[in-house]
Amino acid sequence: MPSRDFELEQQVFRVFHQAHAAELSTLCQALQKRIAGLLSGQSGLQVSKVEGRVKQVDECLRKFSAKYRPALEDQNQPYSIQPHITDLLGLRVVCLYEDEIWKIAEAIRPNFGVIEITDKIAKVEGTDDSFGYKGLHLDLAFSPVELGLSPDMHWPVAQFELQVRTIIQDSWSVLDHQIKYKKSIPNALKRRINVLSALFELADREFRQIRDETEAALQSAPDETALEGLVPEAPVASPEAQAKAELNAFTFLKIANHFFKDFAFEPSKVDGFVEHIKSWAPEITRPGFNVIVREKIGTVKRYKQFFEERHPQLSFNPYTVIRHCLYLGDKVVFAPALRRSAQEAFEAWLAEHLPQDKAQEG
């Protein structure tokens, strides 16, 4: 029965928390798995992590004392602590960009009962002199059955709080919680904290804009067929033509995606691979690279089939195909593209098959 005795209710809550520790942990893990599964099927969302925790008992009591206890005692109203702790189970999704936050929420909330949504991004942005972390908070209800748990068990809670933040917002939250006595610190320090908060916000915005401009640059790169007629050694006149002729990650992807439509090239690997190519041949251009791949890929794909039939356990991925194309295009300049053992195996195959190919072409 609820009472007006905080010490009693505090003890009741401690007993509740301890008695249901195992069930709370099971629920938290099931929710984490469920949310991760919902997001894994969403294209276009870049989720950094999905994590969960059971709120510690002392943290729950501090929250209740600060947020609910004064009003309840002023009203002389009996109370229990547990119903007021709606975030006893807390889940967090951390994404890369701010414009993904609501997309994540929209992917998750149809699968749960929506109790309340708090947009702390809008809340903080609508206040001139406050500081704090941003993010989207959703109070959601769940069914144990939908989590793959037994409906016959008595589960201690049926709701949880979901926080959705960017990496930048999550980092600010961690730092923000380390600032002591935030309500009482001098105004000069508050202003400094506001400046830091603004820098974090600026970083979020800049990363999003860099992403958008990077995607725009990739889309604006010429298609694989656009420069087929250009001679690699032809002089390039205008800056615009020079930009189109440059071999970089964007122009590389235009060519690579043309020849390998079903392969997902990871941006970080593309950057490194293009740097390798340019270190082997500093003067190589986009048209030059295009010509080499286009002219040699047929031969290399025949060798790839031969190689995979004899070494099914080894990978001959598009990067390996391109390395062999470059080597076949210029065995001196692009010798570093293949290890010596790979060169010897390729040369042995070429010696057996290439003369026959040429004879047939003649």
Side-chain angles (χ1 to χ4, degrees), residues 29-327:
Q29 292 173 21
L31 285 166
Q32 188 173 345
K33 182 179 179 181
R34 173 69 169 149
I35 289 172
L38 290 171
L39 294 177
S40 65
Q42 299 293 321
S43 62
L45 293 180
Q46 301 189 61
V47 176
S48 172
K49 60 182 177 181
V50 178
E51 57 188 8
R53 62 97 180 95
V54 178
K55 201 179 189 79
Q56 294 181 354
V57 64
D58 288 337
E59 189 179 358
C60 293
L61 292 171
R62 285 195 297 271
K63 176 179 179 178
F64 176 82
S65 293
K67 191 171 182 179
Y68 302 108
R69 183 184 172 191
L72 290 168
E73 292 185 349
D74 285 347
Q75 297 167 11
N76 199 29
Q77 181 178 335
Y79 58 81
S80 296
I81 294 175
Q82 189 268 322
H84 292 84
I85 309 301
T86 57
D87 60 345
L88 188 54
L89 297 178
L91 280 292
R92 180 178 302 154
V93 176
V94 179
C95 58
L96 299 191
Y97 305 104
E98 198 170 28
D99 59 358
E100 294 175 330
I101 289 177
W102 272 102
K103 294 177 183 177
I104 289 171
E106 292 301 325
I108 292 174
R109 67 178 185 173
N111 299 276
F112 300 94
V114 177
I115 300 170
E116 185 179 6
I117 297 177
T118 305
D119 187 350
K120 291 203 170 187
I121 300 172
K123 183 178 179 181
V124 172
E125 288 180 349
T127 307
D128 293 333
D129 59 351
S130 71
F131 52 88
Y133 63 89
K134 296 181 180 181
L136 189 66
H137 290 199
L138 298 90
D139 290 324
L140 303 172
F142 64 87
S143 165
V145 176
E146 293 178 350
L147 300 180
L149 301 174
S150 171
D152 299 327
M153 286 189 62
H154 174 68
W155 298 100
V157 293
Q159 71 179 86
F160 68 102
E161 180 189 74
L162 174 66
Q163 299 178 358
V164 188
R165 303 172 179 165
T166 67
I167 290 178
I168 299 294
Q169 291 167 358
D170 194 50
S171 299
W172 174 251
S173 171
V174 173
L175 294 170
D176 180 63
H177 277 93
Q178 299 304 312
I179 299 171
K180 301 181 185 299
Y181 315 115
K182 286 188 293 184
K183 301 296 183 183
S184 303
I185 62 176
N187 286 334
L189 291 181
K190 286 184 179 180
R191 284 194 293 271
R192 289 168 61 182
I193 294 171
N194 283 332
V195 169
L196 286 174
S197 179
L199 289 174
F200 273 73
E201 183 178 339
L202 178 62
D204 241 340
R205 186 181 307 155
E206 285 297 308
F207 275 118
R208 186 178 71 249
Q209 290 179 353
I210 289 169
R211 177 206 62 187
D212 293 343
E213 291 175 19
T214 298
E215 289 298 320
L218 177 58
Q219 293 302 317
S220 66
D223 291 331
E224 188 275 335
T225 56
L227 300 178
E228 281 187 358
L230 293 184
V231 179
E233 295 79 11
V236 180
S238 69
E240 182 180 356
Q242 288 179 353
K244 289 183 178 180
E246 180 188 359
L247 180 65
N248 53 38
F250 306 120
T251 53
F252 171 90
L253 279 173
K254 281 288 186 176
I255 296 169
N257 286 329
H258 174 81
F259 290 109
F260 307 98
K261 293 181 171 61
D262 298 326
F263 185 78
F265 287 90
E266 297 180 25
S268 59
K269 290 185 179 180
V270 169
D271 269 336
F273 191 62
V274 172
E275 288 304 307
H276 280 309
I277 295 173
K278 295 170 79 170
S279 70
W280 302 328
E283 302 302 320
I284 191 169
T285 62
R286 180 242 185 263
F289 175 74
N290 179 44
V291 167
I292 291 174
V293 175
R294 179 159 42 85
E295 291 182 351
K296 306 302 181 185
I297 196 168
T299 300
V300 174
K301 282 189 173 180
R302 292 199 298 276
Y303 174 65
K304 175 180 183 290
Q305 181 179 358
F306 167 86
F307 180 90
E308 289 179 337
E309 288 173 354
R310 285 154 180 77
H311 308 282
Q313 75 281 9
L314 299 179
S315 171
F316 207 107
N317 62 34
Y319 289 108
T320 308
V321 172
I322 293 172
R323 285 176 178 273
H324 281 75
C325 288
L326 292 170
Y327 174 78

Side-chain angles (χ1 to χ4, degrees), residues 340-358:
R340 182 171 294 277
S341 60
Q343 289 182 19
E344 292 172 353
F346 191 31
E347 288 290 353
W349 182 87
L350 289 171
E352 182 179 352
H353 294 83
L354 200 58
Q356 181 180 355
D357 291 342
K358 288 184 176 179

